[in-house]
Amino acid sequence: MKIVFGNQLITACVIQMMQEKQIIAERILMVAAQRGPDKSTCPSEIARMLFPNDWRKYMGIIMEVAIDLTIGGKIAITQKGKAVDVGKIKGPVRIKQHTLTV
C-alpha cells in the first residue's frame, strides 16, 4: 500500500514540475519575442517575474528550461553578445530571441 502512495506522490511531483517548466518556457519565449532579436534578458529577470518572493531557488530550473529551448532552436543563450555552447556555460548569461542564419 505504501508503494502505491509513494508512486502517486512521485507522479504528482513530476506533473507539477512539468507544469512549472511549461510556464517558465512560455514566459522565456514571450519575453524573448517582446524584446526582439536585438535585445536580451537576464535569466534572473524571468525568475523574478514568475517567483518574486523566492526567485533565487528557481534559477536552476530557469536555466534548465532555457538550455532546452536553446537546444530546440527557440532561443539563444549568450555571453557578451555571442551565442554560447550550452554544455560549457560559465558565468552570467543572457537570453534572447533566436535569429536564423542564412
Side-chain angles (χ1 to χ4, degrees):
M1 197 69 150
K2 290 181 181 179
I3 294 174
V4 173
F5 175 75
N7 288 341
Q8 289 174 345
L9 182 60
I10 290 170
T11 301
C13 289
V14 169
I15 290 170
Q16 180 181 357
M17 186 184 323
M18 289 172 61
Q19 290 171 337
E20 279 182 354
K21 285 184 173 186
Q22 181 63 35
I23 291 166
I24 292 166
E26 289 170 0
R27 181 59 60 101
I28 289 171
L29 292 170
M30 181 188 78
V31 171
Q34 287 175 343
R35 301 276 164 98
D38 297 326
K39 294 187 178 180
S40 63
T41 187
C42 182
S44 67
E45 186 177 345
I46 303 295
R48 285 181 180 104
M49 287 177 186
L50 295 172
F51 312 102
N53 296 326
D54 52 357
W55 63 271
R56 283 183 179 88
K57 83 176 197 178
Y58 288 93
M59 285 301 296
I61 194 168
I62 299 286
M63 284 305 300
E64 183 181 322
V65 172
I67 289 168
D68 289 345
L69 290 170
T70 299
I71 291 169
K74 307 240 183 207
I75 62 164
I77 295 177
T78 63
Q79 285 182 313
K80 298 181 182 178
K82 297 184 184 201
V84 296
D85 178 349
V86 294
K88 299 178 182 177
I89 293 176
K90 288 185 180 181
V93 296
R94 304 284 294 176
I95 296 170
K96 67 185 291 180
Q97 189 177 39
H98 179 72
T99 55
L100 296 174
T101 55
V102 181

